[in-house]
Amino acid sequence: MKRNSLVRRAILSVLLIELLCAMGILSTALWHEWGSRMRSLDISLEGRADSLMGAVQDAEDPEDNVTVNPEEFTAPKGDSFAVFNSSGKLIGQFGEALPELLTLQKDGFRDARHGNHRFRVLQREALRIIDRDETHGVGIRRPFTVVYATTTNHLWHETVEATQFYLMVSVGLLLATALVLIWLLRRLLSPLEQLAVSASQINTDALAFEPPPSAERVTELVPLVQALSAMVARVREAFERQHRFINDAAHELKTAVAVVRSSIQVLDMRPRTAEEYRQGLEDVLQDNERVEGLVRQMLTLASFDDRSGAANGECNLAEEVRSAAHALRSFAEMQGATVRCALHDTQVGVAADAARTLASNLILNALQHSPAGAEVVVTVEREGDQVRLEVRDAGSGIAPENLERVFERFFREDSSRSRATGGAGLGLAICKSIVNAAQGTIEASSELGKGTVMRVVLPTRLTPAVVNGLGEAATEDAAPRAHGVV
């Protein structure tokens, strides 16, 4: 992958903008200097033409050629001019005048070109009065026209020389800007480089992140510092939770295997009757089933930890709750309890097996903590765009300090009681994993001596008919409520 340097791009962008500005300023300076020199040349050309008209010598005959008094006018080198009478006849030409340039056209200034040479040409009308003495001061009026041309080749070189200062200043400014930008950007980006160094020191052996103070003082870097700190905290928490889970799982498996081994050792300590051996084998089988149940729960929890596993699908939550309650009817009878359901058919974005596991674990947990003769109430209701699943029991309740911990893996408020019921402390952790995968929430509220309420809130999932715009009447809410007692 080709990498782009932000520093290089910033420097090039600034230099490009500055170069364009310098070119604009230089062009403006050239245009201004050229215009000023042209105006000066025009004024000078007017003066030369006026001097020439004053220096034209009288002629007795209008058709005679005129002469120029050298004491009154001397044309600069390279200048050319011609004099025409009123009928347009050339009556005088001076200098190295080119015939195609010194022709009569309109009065005023014009530009002309001959080969590689450029000229500025001025045509002016004039009037000579001759023989004043002979006509008693009235004189004879003889109009004539002067065409005066001068080269402008030198103007461009003079203009370039005059703007060289701006060119040198622009080049110097570009170089100075580049050096300042390199120094300034390196200095400004040093907090980011220090932050990258601190982030690179994070590893699995030391999940800690100490942001450099220089980065914390930069407003633009504060969100990145906070994001990195939060990410490291989450990763550290996940590592700690995983480490705790592995330790707890290893402890539970070791304990379960030790129980099986001790049962076999006790059975093998002395000769026993056939009935004692049968009873001993039943105990070993029961312990083995407990180990098998623990492993099964751990595999279930691992599968639901994959978010796509639980959230990839949808189901009617009421149907899955009803199925789970029906499957637990034998256990409820053994506990001497009943399960009453008030279910409202609603689609949720949870796979059917995950929803059934969620309902089964919540109902089983409620039955395990309910006294004989108690009633477990299960409800499914839709509230706006959410579905609420509640499992309410009338058991001994949960201590307030343990409410937040009941969803932790292998957490058992009463270890002895949990072992008696066969629980390993993974049922509610599995529920939380399923709910998290479905982007829902789960919480517990309880009052000691009066019972516990497990409350799950899941987002609804519209049926294909609603998605296709066929109307609200096609939603699962249209189904009637179902009530029953298992």
Side-chain angles (χ1 to χ4, degrees):
M1 179 183 293
K2 185 178 179 180
R3 295 180 178 178
N4 292 319
S5 170
L6 291 177
V7 174
R8 189 184 304 115
R9 292 174 65 180
I11 293 175
L12 292 178
S13 299
V14 172
L15 292 181
L16 179 60
I17 294 173
E18 192 170 334
L19 178 62
L20 293 176
C21 293
M23 292 177 63
I25 294 174
L26 192 60
S27 300
T28 303
L30 283 171
W31 174 79
H32 176 73
E33 194 66 28
W34 175 264
S36 300
R37 293 185 179 275
M38 284 298 294
R39 285 192 295 274
S40 299
L41 180 64
D42 289 346
I43 294 173
S44 175
L45 201 55
E46 286 178 336
R48 296 177 194 176
D50 291 342
S51 299
L52 173 63
M53 288 185 292
V56 173
Q57 297 294 312
D58 294 343
E60 296 297 332
D61 188 342
E63 300 301 326
D64 290 344
N65 291 336
V66 297
T67 58
V68 176
N69 186 354
E71 296 180 355
E72 296 182 5
F73 176 76
T74 301
K77 184 179 179 181
D79 286 7
S80 301
F81 56 87
V83 180
F84 299 85
N85 61 14
S86 58
S87 61
K89 180 183 178 182
L90 179 64
I91 56 177
Q93 183 173 351
F94 302 90
E96 299 176 355
L98 299 173
E100 57 269 27
L101 296 177
L102 302 177
T103 57
L104 288 175
Q105 297 184 21
K106 289 183 179 180
D107 286 351
F109 293 100
R110 67 175 183 269
D111 292 320
R113 182 166 185 170
H114 182 78
N116 295 326
H117 300 281
R118 298 175 182 271
F119 295 90
R120 187 69 169 170
V121 181
L122 172 62
Q123 179 176 324
R124 303 196 72 172
E125 299 289 344
L127 180 64
R128 289 189 297 131
I129 300 176
I130 62 175
D131 298 335
R132 288 180 183 273
D133 296 337
E134 298 174 0
T135 57
H136 305 289
V138 177
I140 300 173
R141 305 171 69 86
R142 290 183 178 175
F144 67 99
T145 303
V146 173
V147 178
Y148 199 103
T150 185
T151 180
T152 59
N153 287 339
H154 63 285
L155 287 183
W156 175 248
H157 299 289
E158 294 173 359
T159 302
V160 171
E161 290 177 357
T163 55
Q164 282 182 347
F165 170 76
Y166 299 101
L167 179 62
M168 296 177 63
V169 170
S170 299
V171 173
L173 186 61
L174 284 174
L175 294 176
T177 302
L179 295 176
V180 171
L181 278 177
I182 292 173
W183 174 81
L184 188 62
L185 287 177
R186 285 182 177 176
R187 185 176 180 83
L188 290 176
L189 293 178
S190 61
L192 184 59
E193 294 177 354
Q194 295 174 7
L195 181 62
V197 172
S198 298
S200 65
Q201 295 175 350
I202 302 173
N203 56 62
T204 55
D205 295 331
L207 274 175
F209 174 63
E210 292 293 337
S214 58
E216 293 180 308
R217 289 194 294 267
V218 179
T219 304
E220 288 76 10
L221 292 181
V222 169
L224 180 58
V225 171
Q226 294 175 345
L228 286 173
S229 299
M231 182 196 68
V232 172
R234 290 195 299 271
V235 172
R236 182 170 59 247
E237 182 182 357
F239 266 83
E240 291 175 352
R241 187 168 58 249
Q242 192 73 15
H243 182 69
R244 190 166 55 248
F245 173 75
I246 293 174
N247 288 340
D248 292 342
H251 175 73
E252 291 294 332
L253 288 174
K254 180 180 177 182
T255 302
V257 172
V259 170
V260 173
R261 184 179 60 189
S262 62
S263 298
I264 296 175
Q265 288 175 340
V266 169
L267 192 63
D268 190 48
M269 288 180 63
R270 58 182 175 80
R272 299 180 182 275
T273 63
E275 181 61 24
E276 289 176 334
Y277 279 120
R278 187 186 62 79
Q279 183 62 43
L281 289 176
E282 288 181 355
D283 293 341
V284 171
L285 181 60
Q286 186 176 1
D287 294 336
N288 187 69
E289 289 176 349
R290 186 176 295 110
V291 174
E292 185 180 8
L294 175 61
V295 173
R296 186 170 54 250
Q297 283 190 317
M298 291 172 60
L299 292 176
T300 302
L301 183 59
S303 65
F304 288 135
D305 275 344
D306 180 7
R307 286 183 174 271
S308 60
N312 187 18
E314 63 178 88
C315 67
N316 186 334
L317 182 60
E319 289 182 0
E320 303 307 324
V321 172
R322 189 180 299 110
S323 175
H326 182 73
L328 290 171
R329 66 185 188 281
S330 299
F331 184 82
E333 292 176 0
M334 291 174 56
Q335 293 291 108
T338 57
V339 179
R340 183 164 62 88
C341 297
L343 308 177
H344 188 190
D345 291 348
T346 305
Q347 291 292 118
V348 294
V350 182
D353 59 336
R356 196 177 310 119
T357 301
L358 171 65
S360 178
N361 285 357
L362 292 177
I363 296 173
L364 179 62
N365 183 74
L367 289 173
Q368 288 174 338
H369 295 85
S370 295
E375 182 182 66
V376 174
V377 180
V378 184
T379 60
V380 174
E381 294 179 331
R382 176 171 178 173
E383 296 179 353
D385 58 350
Q386 294 180 331
V387 178
R388 182 189 296 271
L389 165 63
E390 283 190 358
V391 179
R392 185 184 301 272
D393 67 60
S396 58
I398 304 172
E401 63 272 17
N402 293 327
L403 277 178
E404 295 294 330
R405 300 191 59 194
V406 293
F407 299 107
E408 293 181 4
R409 300 173 183 189
F410 295 108
F411 175 77
R412 288 169 295 201
E413 186 178 23
D414 187 344
S415 301
S416 59
R417 183 178 176 183
S418 296
R419 290 189 184 283
T421 58
L426 290 177
L428 294 180
I430 293 174
C431 294
K432 186 175 179 61
S433 180
I434 294 173
V435 172
N436 288 342
Q439 299 181 356
T441 61
I442 183 171
E443 61 179 10
S445 59
S446 182
E447 189 174 352
L448 289 175
K450 293 186 177 180
T452 302
V453 178
M454 293 291 177
R455 186 174 295 105
V456 176
V457 177
L458 297 171
T460 57
R461 178 69 59 90
L462 298 180
T463 62
V466 175
V467 174
N468 293 330
L470 298 182
E472 291 293 336
T475 63
E476 293 294 340
D477 279 349
R481 287 176 177 271
H483 298 271
V485 177
V486 176

